[in-house]
Amino acid sequence: MLNDRITVNKKHIDAANVVVDDILPEIGQKYIMAIGGEVGSGKSTLAYTIAMRLRKEGVKSKIIDLDDFYKVPPHERKQWRRDHGIESVGPDEYDWDSINTLIGDFRQGRKSTMPCVDLITSEVDQLRTSFKGIRVLIINGLYATKLNQADFRVFIELTYTETKEAQLFGQKEEMTGFRKQILEREHKMVQALK
């Protein structure tokens, strides 16, 4: 997501080092890592920190944020969810066909076009990228561990209660009663993937 904020601290660096030390011997020409967990658990920050460590090791990687792949754009999503009910919140909100196409482009080392949400404007831009020479694709998002194509999965073991402060105060959306219901629903869906 464009204009997303992250803050890297020692726990992220330590976790990234553990992950990279574990996967480095396994990385071939094309390797996919999925990072999932609760809202506010640090998925994006861990993805960034892993990518930076891989760069130090001479391994090129790209990060894909599943939040860019919602079927309904950010400025329409709240109303769409209200219209379709809280039961509509979950993995089916993602455009898995586009995600799978992107993964295919990565595996083939092709150029690809993907959505990129600008958090300031709430617009969905199109990002053109090339996967030539990219060996690791890091996919992070609530339901990333659902990806069958992942060679390695990381589930951040922080609970809804542990991440509640980040969910309530660091979010990209205003906290309302309906937003709290959405977070509760996402919590249940994410925990089912643990």
Side-chain angles (χ1 to χ4, degrees), residues 91-187:
D92 290 340
E93 291 182 289
Y94 287 152
D95 181 353
W96 292 103
D97 289 339
S98 292
I99 294 163
N100 288 326
T101 297
L102 183 83
I103 289 171
D105 291 343
F106 163 70
R107 291 226 187 263
Q108 297 300 314
R110 294 188 294 239
K111 289 182 179 177
S112 191
T113 301
M114 62 183 158
C116 180
V117 174
D118 184 329
L119 291 174
I120 293 174
T121 65
S122 291
E123 296 294 324
V124 181
D125 297 326
Q126 294 297 309
L127 175 68
R128 184 93 170 129
T129 191
S130 174
F131 289 113
K132 184 179 180 182
I134 303 300
R135 291 177 52 200
V136 178
L137 185 64
I138 304 169
I139 303 173
N140 76 82
L142 290 172
Y143 314 113
T145 55
K146 200 175 157 57
L147 286 165
N148 293 332
Q149 303 95 321
D151 298 296
F152 189 84
R153 291 174 181 80
V154 175
F155 185 88
I156 299 180
E157 189 67 44
L158 293 176
T159 67
Y160 175 70
T161 304
E162 290 170 317
T163 62
K164 197 167 204 163
E165 184 175 321
Q167 294 167 12
L168 294 176
F169 301 109
Q171 279 308 297
K172 301 155 188 144
E173 295 180 40
E174 180 185 345
M175 188 52 63
T176 63
F178 187 65
R179 178 69 181 143
K180 288 178 186 176
Q181 288 179 338
I182 290 169
L183 290 171
E184 288 285 345
R185 170 76 176 173
E186 288 174 341
H187 163 69

